Amino acid sequence: PNFTRLALLPMLQFPLPSAFGFGATLAHHRFASDNEATAAMAGGVSHRAILIPAAVTGIVLSAFLFVLSNSAIPRLLRTMEMLLVEDVGRFLTNAIESGASVRLPDGVLLHADQIDQLGRDESSGASDVLVMQGVVAFKPLEDGAPEWEATARRAGVWLYVGASMSETSVRISLRDAVV
């Protein structure tokens, strides 16, 4: 599945109410400015009958958004999270290959001169194995000074993908390291 197509439906919850409200405002403005409301009331149509289509449309939109936000969107967001979790190795590889440093969730900054993505490792159960050359990692304090730092000529990275981002783990093994 394409990530953008999965994100399309959850993003509808934001513009849809505004679009419907704007459309209803324009329709009622034209209805009033073209004297159609006056003609309808002169013909015996009540205010209630004029507002029923807008009320029904509002109820249908509310029901649609309720179903969307309580069933469809959570499922799509879980699917999007799994796509991201499965591609963690590729994201890491692309960032390092472009020369950028990677900030890990615990605040550690990681940089490597070269990275190779080896793929799945059945023996260890890792969903992806990466080999990095010329590795530098450090954890900065709030003032920017390093809390600790490490360098290694080579590092192995094993990614274990769980059912969600919180269940995903990483094992890093440094070779010829100085900490």
Side-chain angles (χ1 to χ4, degrees), residues 99-179:
S101 296
V102 177
R103 182 177 297 273
L104 300 177
D106 58 355
V108 173
L109 288 171
L110 178 68
H111 179 81
D113 295 333
Q114 180 184 346
I115 187 166
D116 295 312
Q117 190 171 8
L118 303 179
R120 181 173 293 280
D121 181 23
E122 299 298 332
S123 63
S124 68
S127 62
D128 207 355
V129 177
L130 309 169
V131 176
M132 297 186 289
Q133 309 288 335
V135 180
V136 176
F138 78 97
K139 183 170 186 177
L141 295 170
E142 288 184 21
D143 64 355
E147 180 179 328
W148 59 262
E149 58 187 67
T151 61
R153 189 168 12 147
R154 183 177 173 148
V157 179
W158 290 264
L159 300 171
Y160 299 93
V161 175
S164 69
M165 197 66 106
S166 62
E167 296 174 11
T168 300
S169 63
V170 178
R171 192 178 94 205
I172 299 176
S173 173
L174 302 174
R175 304 275 188 241
D176 300 326
V178 176
V179 180

Side-chain angles (χ1 to χ4, degrees), residues 55-111:
V56 168
T57 303
I59 291 169
V60 168
L61 175 65
S62 297
F64 175 72
L65 287 176
F66 179 80
V67 169
L68 189 70
S69 65
N70 289 308
S71 66
I73 290 176
R75 276 195 316 262
L76 289 168
L77 291 177
R78 277 191 295 277
T79 305
M80 290 166 60
E81 180 182 27
M82 283 310 301
L83 281 176
L84 289 176
V85 167
E86 290 170 0
D87 286 344
V88 165
R90 187 170 52 92
F91 293 144
L92 189 60
T93 300
N94 289 343
I96 300 252
E97 283 178 347
S98 69
S101 296
V102 177
R103 182 177 297 273
L104 300 177
D106 58 355
V108 173
L109 288 171
L110 178 68
H111 179 81

